[in-house]
Amino acid sequence: MKKALIISYYWPPAGGPGVQRWLKFVKYLRDFGVEPVVYVPENPSYPLYDYTLFSEVPKDITILRKPIKEPYKFAKLISKKKSKTISKGIIQQKKQQTLIDKILLYIRGNFFIPDARKSWVKPSLNFLLQYIIENDINTIITTGPPHSLHLIGLNLKDELGIKWLADFRDPWTTIGYHKELKLTPKVESKHKILESNVLHGADEIIVTSNYTKDEFSTKAKQPITVITNGYDTHSVTIDKKDDKFTFSHIGSLLSERNPIILWQAISDLISENGDFANE
């Protein structure tokens, strides 16, 4: 059976949609002839916790853990609440930002490139280079955000020539909160360079939407596959969906993710189409 090393920041007891994507993939990879090995931080600073997800982890898979140093733990000394909201990707509107908000955003954006988990890259490389060679790993998979994990994949690819899949649960330089991080032009340029290196370095790119696929297709020629978020039919039972009209959002509704255009389109349909309005 082939072995795949999955490098992820989010893993139980983390909560939210980000952890469930690769938790569920890991749960079923063996059905496709792939033995998963998971590499995660030993002491992460998660904004959300869901201890029920431990029951979803296959009992006998290999899970590797290494310590991580994160600035959010120090930011909590200034403001526990503000550091937690920033780590979720929730950013106050400019007119509501306090001086502390602005300082934390500036530090986060300009001193931690590409993100606050950058310090995990070098120690992870030192450990994983030897582990991959000694344990006959065939493929590595990195999932971001945090996109610093893709830098681990990029360096492992450069060193070993191993097959590398980069999974983007969100885009990089066009993610909703990126423009709110008070980036200097130099730092903004650095993000674009790192993004380009990752997109051109990966053997394959996985994204969660056609929108992100279209964006990345203009930036790199690598194969791009869309695997949307979903739900585990073994864990979730939906007795019956509406036969005529059902839509779903599977993910997080963070800062300014209110789909106003969608609501307006539905409103227009109701106003213009009597049959749709009646249903």
Side-chain angles (χ1 to χ4, degrees):
M1 188 176 287
K2 293 182 178 180
K3 292 182 181 179
L5 174 67
I6 294 95
I7 303 171
S8 178
Y9 178 80
Y10 295 101
W11 191 254
V19 61
Q20 295 189 46
R21 180 173 173 85
W22 277 96
L23 173 62
K24 298 297 185 176
F25 287 165
V26 166
K27 182 178 177 181
Y28 296 109
L29 276 177
R30 285 173 172 166
D31 295 344
F32 298 89
V34 177
E35 176 66 26
V37 177
V38 181
Y39 176 68
V40 295
E42 185 178 89
N43 55 327
S45 180
Y46 294 140
L48 297 171
Y49 287 84
D50 184 351
Y51 292 92
T52 67
L53 293 179
F54 276 123
S55 64
E56 300 284 343
V57 180
K59 292 291 187 287
D60 54 346
I61 67 164
T62 299
I63 301 177
L64 310 171
R65 302 179 189 272
K66 284 293 177 182
I68 183 173
K69 295 179 181 179
E70 298 187 70
Y72 291 125
K73 295 179 179 180
F74 299 102
K76 286 178 182 178
L77 299 176
I78 300 174
S79 175
K80 183 176 182 180
K81 181 178 179 181
K82 294 183 187 299
S83 66
K84 191 170 185 178
T85 56
I86 291 175
S87 69
K88 289 181 183 178
I90 299 173
I91 296 176
Q92 292 277 13
Q93 295 183 2
K94 288 183 179 180
K95 61 183 179 181
Q96 298 175 333
Q97 290 177 7
T98 66
L99 179 60
I100 292 178
D101 289 324
K102 294 175 181 178
I103 292 172
L104 289 176
L105 282 173
Y106 184 85
I107 293 173
R108 155 64 181 88
N110 294 281
F111 290 87
F112 297 92
I113 307 167
D115 52 59
R117 280 84 187 200
K118 59 172 286 188
S119 66
W120 202 47
V121 174
K122 186 174 181 179
S124 295
L125 287 173
N126 294 337
F127 171 71
L128 291 175
L129 281 169
Q130 183 175 358
Y131 184 89
I132 289 170
I133 294 171
E134 293 178 351
N135 291 274
D136 194 28
I137 301 294
N138 306 103
T139 303
I140 56 173
I141 303 166
T142 55
T143 178
H147 295 310
S148 55
L149 272 64
H150 294 314
L151 301 184
I152 300 175
L154 179 64
N155 281 277
L156 291 174
K157 173 72 176 180
D158 288 344
E159 290 284 341
L160 302 174
I162 192 170
K163 185 175 182 180
W164 168 37
L165 282 65
D167 174 63
F168 286 83
R169 303 189 314 277
D170 287 302
W172 188 324
T173 56
T174 59
I175 194 169
Y177 58 78
H178 187 76
K179 63 182 182 296
E180 305 296 335
L181 291 175
K182 305 184 185 302
L183 305 180
T184 66
K186 183 178 180 180
V187 170
E188 178 65 43
S189 176
K190 181 72 177 294
H191 273 283
K192 291 179 179 179
I193 291 170
L194 291 175
E195 177 190 52
S196 179
N197 290 344
V198 167
L199 292 178
H200 285 90
D203 292 288
E204 295 188 37
I205 300 166
I206 306 170
V207 295
T208 57
S209 71
N210 286 307
Y211 187 87
T212 305
K213 179 180 180 179
D214 291 343
E215 176 197 337
F216 283 173
S217 294
T218 67
K219 298 178 176 180
K221 301 299 182 183
Q222 266 66 1
I224 303 176
T225 300
V226 177
I227 304 179
T228 62
N229 288 336
Y231 64 90
D232 188 344
T233 56
H234 292 176
S235 304
V236 177
T237 301
I238 298 177
D239 294 330
K240 184 181 179 181
K241 293 188 291 184
D242 190 290
D243 293 332
K244 298 177 181 177
F245 188 77
T246 299
F247 68 92
S248 303
H249 171 79
I250 303 174
S252 298
L253 283 172
L254 300 179
S255 301
E256 299 184 10
R257 283 193 182 177
N258 183 5
I260 295 172
I261 295 174
L262 173 62
W263 310 140
Q264 185 61 53
I266 294 173
S267 177
D268 291 345
L269 280 170
I270 292 171
S271 298
E272 298 168 4
N273 188 315
D275 291 337
F276 183 85
N278 291 334
E279 298 295 348

